[in-house]
Amino acid sequence: MMPKRRHLHTSTTMRVTIALAILFAVSLVSAHSEDTVAESIYDSAGRNVTINLDPNQHLNVIPTHFLGINSSYFNDTDEIWKEFDIPAKLKHAGIGAMRFPGGEETSYYHWRHPGVNGYEDIWDDPEIHGSAVDRGPFQVTWVDPAKWDTNKNFLEFDEFIAHCEELDIEPIVGINMSSARKHNRIEDGIEEALQWLRYCKDKGYTVKYWYLDNEPWHDNANYTFDIVKEYGPDVLRYGRALKKEFPEIKLIVNPLSWGSTRYPDYLKQFLATAGPVIDYIDLHYYWAWGINSWEYWVESTPLTDRDKWTKEPGHKSIGEICEIVRTACRDLGLNDVGIMFLEWNIGPSPETAILSESALALIHSQYLMELMNAEVEMTCLWPLLWRSNRDVWPEQDRFPSIIRQSAPYSLTATAEAFAFFANLTGHQRIGAQSNRGEVLVLSTFDSEAENVHTIVLNKRAYRQRVTVHAEGHTISYVDTSSLDLVNPLRYAVDIEPADQSEEFVEIYLEPYSISYIRLSTQADE
């Protein structure tokens, strides 16, 4: 579709661009359709929305590598990466970081043995090899232990680094501490990690971010640490050894579950020991696990930490949880410790299985807006691919991703939403306010190009007129374009400005939609 252009003043070279506005129309069950139509046609109250952008209010810079994804070394097989052109799909979605070897598989992984099945530990007694604890051969790529040494189908470390270098994205690599603690081989574990970093140095690989195991507090982990008495001292030992030889690396820890973030004293006990070597605290958050639904999302602004396990009243937002963690760090003088979310998604529930891709993309979009507003350093959606054996793991929990979970692994609506957010990374977040709570806005300013990049999420069931102002800046030229996704569950339309001048632009937002707006502006004298 050709872009539509409208001149305001031909004498100026500055312009407003409203680019790639994808509006995801949510396909709802019939019980909700009648309500949506009635509200859309008959309820005209409160449809005029004002958005004020302030390019002069400088907040945090959103890192260029903010948008990440989790690889899973035994799911991301060589043939899938090659045959279905996974790198091109990551690039389309604007992925800036990738985590390896994955999530819980990190707690079993030994980098010199890349052919071992997921959730199996080469240090365990060979008598139990071939049967992941409590899971059996759950992975669809399961390999007989006799072939582990020759198995080349899994994503190996060198291949992972090659993908990162090809795509110019940040590698985030996990160190297995669980095997060492489980088998009382701490020094061996430290030496294994050091050899990995030395290997990177010898090969010329730049790996800045290393995370020290995955969810060591989890009941179903390879080894469940006592976070204060075991994980804290082990983090200190590993951290001192690694940073003594490689002082430039950044170490990431995951000392508490999402529910435990409510208890800062517990975090402080861990930090009192491990704090000197920590650079980032990693929080894992699967929103509303077991209780989410379309109706619950519509009512949830902001998203909170309520799930099927949380019993305490006073549910907290992402921003509030991040502030609890930052306050605990500041109280101990750890002012430079940052926050990452290296596992996040919509928690599985009966409703998750029936939500459309468009609905999932809208929830993911609000999630990303709140993570950016909370000044999180880096995020990694879990997972890129997760394929389990239905005979062994019958529940087949759904974790929506940027690609579909079966061949040909095509892009999802979430990938298109990610592509919107990729336009905001690397730029200064600025003041952005909406006069209606159900219309969410996030904006950044590129001072070099004098562009304002804005995401607008409409959580209402009807179309709305929005007036956008860029305070202290002049608007003088408009481009509009659209992208048709050709999908029966969602559609795209042009955002043709209803009105415009040097002071404002008026557009319409479709019901339940996510839009990206780029304004080229010039500061007023």
Side-chain angles (χ1 to χ4, degrees):
M1 185 174 295
M2 294 298 293
K4 301 178 181 179
R5 303 187 176 190
R6 299 183 63 181
H7 291 264
L8 299 180
H9 296 282
T10 57
S11 61
T12 179
T13 60
M14 306 311 293
R15 66 182 183 174
V16 177
T17 305
I18 304 176
L20 294 179
I22 303 176
L23 305 172
F24 299 112
V26 177
S27 176
L28 302 177
V29 294
S30 58
H32 306 132
S33 300
E34 293 180 3
D35 293 340
T36 300
V37 172
E39 188 176 23
S40 177
I41 295 175
Y42 299 113
D43 184 0
S44 60
R47 296 202 190 183
N48 292 320
V49 180
T50 300
I51 290 177
N52 291 312
L53 309 176
D54 187 357
N56 297 315
Q57 184 184 359
H58 293 174
L59 303 171
N60 63 300
V61 174
I62 298 175
T64 55
H65 51 249
F66 178 88
L67 291 171
I69 196 79
N70 274 276
S71 65
S72 174
Y73 81 95
F74 62 88
N75 279 289
D76 302 353
T77 58
D78 292 346
E79 65 256 31
I80 289 178
W81 274 80
K82 294 174 183 177
E83 183 177 348
F84 299 102
D85 202 3
I86 298 301
K89 292 168 182 176
L90 295 176
K91 186 174 182 179
H92 178 91
I95 296 299
M98 189 157 57
R99 186 172 178 239
F100 178 90
E104 181 54 29
E105 46 265 56
T106 304
S107 302
Y108 299 80
Y109 187 77
H110 298 271
W111 69 278
R112 291 196 181 276
H113 301 274
V116 175
N117 291 326
Y119 292 26
E120 296 208 51
D121 190 343
I122 197 72
W123 285 8
D124 283 344
D125 185 342
E127 291 294 322
I128 65 171
H129 286 171
S131 179
V133 177
D134 297 328
R135 290 182 173 86
F138 75 98
Q139 65 187 76
V140 297
T141 56
W142 189 87
V143 174
D144 188 284
K147 299 180 180 179
W148 282 355
D149 287 342
T150 57
N151 174 28
K152 300 296 183 182
N153 194 36
F154 297 164
L155 181 64
E156 297 185 12
F157 179 65
D158 290 319
E159 295 168 332
F160 166 76
I161 292 296
H163 292 316
C164 290
E165 291 179 346
E166 175 191 358
L167 297 167
D168 191 25
I169 61 180
E170 196 76 50
I172 313 166
V173 181
I175 292 172
N176 172 10
M177 298 168 61
S178 296
S179 295
R181 171 59 70 169
K182 177 182 178 181
H183 293 281
N184 195 26
R185 296 174 58 177
I186 304 297
E187 292 304 320
D188 289 341
I190 293 173
E191 182 59 27
E192 181 181 52
L194 282 169
Q195 288 178 8
W196 202 354
L197 271 71
R198 291 167 187 156
Y199 178 81
C200 290
K201 181 179 180 181
D202 292 343
K203 297 283 286 188
Y205 297 157
T206 301
V207 182
K208 178 179 179 181
Y209 298 99
W210 296 81
Y211 62 100
L212 298 179
D213 220 300
N214 177 82
E215 299 185 357
W217 38 266
H218 203 292
D219 291 342
N220 292 324
N222 187 19
Y223 180 84
T224 302
F225 284 77
D226 181 308
I227 296 300
V228 174
K229 296 179 180 179
E230 295 178 322
Y231 187 55
D234 285 4
V235 165
L236 186 64
R237 290 176 69 180
Y238 276 75
R240 283 177 170 169
L242 297 176
K243 287 196 169 186
K244 180 180 180 180
E245 192 167 336
F246 302 93
E248 71 283 358
I249 64 171
K250 301 296 182 182
L251 295 181
I252 307 162
V253 296
N254 179 221
L256 66 175
S257 67
W258 185 251
S260 299
T261 56
R262 289 169 165 263
Y263 308 106
D265 289 343
Y266 175 70
L267 175 60
K268 286 181 180 179
Q269 291 179 58
F270 164 79
L271 292 173
T273 299
V277 299
I278 292 172
D279 296 291
Y280 294 94
I281 291 176
D282 173 24
L283 303 177
H284 293 182
Y285 181 31
Y286 292 85
W287 175 70
W289 191 304
I291 64 170
N292 65 59
S293 66
W294 174 254
E295 294 84 355
Y296 184 55
W297 173 72
V298 170
E299 298 168 358
S300 298
T301 303
L303 304 177
T304 67
D305 62 347
R306 180 172 170 247
D307 56 34
K308 69 178 183 179
W309 298 287
T310 305
K311 307 300 182 184
E312 298 89 341
H315 307 302
K316 297 187 182 300
S317 68
I318 291 172
E320 290 171 329
I321 291 295
C322 288
E323 186 54 33
I324 289 174
V325 173
R326 289 191 177 102
T327 298
C329 291
R330 287 195 295 265
D331 288 348
L332 293 175
L334 303 172
N335 299 326
D336 296 328
V337 173
I339 295 177
M340 295 182 175
F341 278 63
L342 298 187
E343 282 190 35
W344 71 274
N345 209 320
I346 304 163
S349 78
E351 288 285 334
T352 310
I354 62 173
L355 287 175
S356 71
E357 278 189 12
S358 304
L360 296 168
L362 291 173
I363 300 172
H364 282 147
S365 295
Q366 181 176 349
Y367 210 142
L368 284 172
M369 294 176 84
E370 295 189 13
L371 289 169
M372 285 183 169
N373 280 325
E375 301 187 12
V376 172
E377 177 76 15
M378 195 184 308
T379 66
C380 286
L381 182 71
W382 171 265
L384 175 63
L385 278 175
W386 184 255
R387 301 172 300 142
S388 55
N389 186 330
R390 189 178 293 274
D391 294 333
V392 178
W393 203 326
E395 59 268 30
Q396 295 273 294
D397 288 337
R398 184 185 187 189
F399 296 100
S401 184
I402 60 171
I403 59 175
R404 298 187 179 98
Q405 298 297 290
S406 58
Y409 307 101
S410 51
L411 292 166
T412 64
T414 290
E416 306 302 340
F418 266 55
F420 277 178
F421 283 93
N423 292 293
L424 278 64
T425 60
H427 302 311
Q428 188 104 41
R429 191 166 63 93
I430 62 172
Q433 298 291 330
S434 164
N435 70 332
R436 299 200 65 87
E438 61 274 24
V439 177
L440 311 182
V441 60
L442 176 72
S443 194
T444 63
F445 183 61
D446 177 0
S447 58
E448 183 176 345
E450 294 194 87
N451 284 336
V452 177
H453 304 269
T454 301
I455 298 289
V456 183
L457 175 59
N458 179 18
K459 292 187 69 173
R460 306 195 81 181
Y462 47 83
R463 203 176 193 226
Q464 301 192 99
R465 179 195 291 262
V466 177
T467 304
V468 182
H469 298 269
E471 185 173 334
H473 283 65
T474 296
I475 297 170
S476 55
Y477 191 83
V478 179
D479 281 355
T480 67
S481 62
S482 69
L483 180 64
D484 185 357
L485 298 180
V486 196
N487 188 310
L489 298 184
R490 62 188 191 271
Y491 60 86
V493 298
D494 285 337
I495 301 185
E496 176 67 22
D499 196 7
Q500 55 207 36
S501 74
E502 289 187 333
E503 287 75 38
F504 67 88
V505 170
E506 284 190 348
I507 61 175
Y508 284 101
L509 300 180
E510 297 302 312
Y512 299 127
S513 65
I514 177 75
S515 303
Y516 163 61
I517 305 169
R518 177 163 57 93
L519 306 175
S520 292
T521 65
Q522 185 174 29
D524 296 337
E525 293 182 1

